[in-house]
Amino acid sequence: MIIDVEKDADIKVRIAAVIKGSGKNKSQFARDMGVTPNYLATVLTNPSKGLSGTMMKALANMGVNVNWVITGKGDELIENGESWKIK
């Protein structure tokens, strides 16, 4: 199986955009997701670190459209998402 690192980089850029749009810092956002700030930072900055299902579920629970995170298509947030909006 060949992993497309470039796509993972795009996914991480979209997650960083969600964090920025939330108005929270990375540590606050990580805690809201239920992961440690160190884990989130490692996932976003280490090219060899992939995204876990737990992280995707946490994003979905926060109202983030996981399809958008993965593909870049559609809206950033799902209906009835968290009160914050992508800026």
Side-chain angles (χ1 to χ4, degrees):
M1 177 179 194
I2 299 172
I3 298 173
D4 188 342
V5 176
E6 200 59 38
K7 284 185 182 178
D8 284 350
D10 292 343
I11 291 169
K12 292 175 182 186
V13 167
R14 285 190 282 276
I15 292 172
V18 167
I19 295 168
K20 184 176 181 181
S22 75
K24 300 175 184 182
N25 66 40
K26 289 179 186 172
S27 294
Q28 292 169 319
F29 196 87
R31 288 186 194 94
D32 288 350
M33 286 180 66
V35 300
T36 66
N38 187 48
Y39 174 75
L40 180 61
T42 300
V43 167
L44 294 178
T45 60
N46 186 336
S48 65
K49 183 77 170 168
L51 293 127
S52 68
T54 300
M55 191 166 179
M56 289 299 189
K57 281 175 60 176
L59 287 168
N61 287 337
M62 294 177 75
V64 176
N65 179 349
V66 176
N67 184 56
W68 172 80
V69 171
I70 295 168
T71 66
K73 296 177 183 173
D75 295 325
E76 293 90 351
L77 300 177
I78 56 176
E79 288 187 39
N80 302 319
E82 291 286 314
S83 60
W84 53 268
K85 300 290 183 202
I86 304 296
K87 295 179 183 175

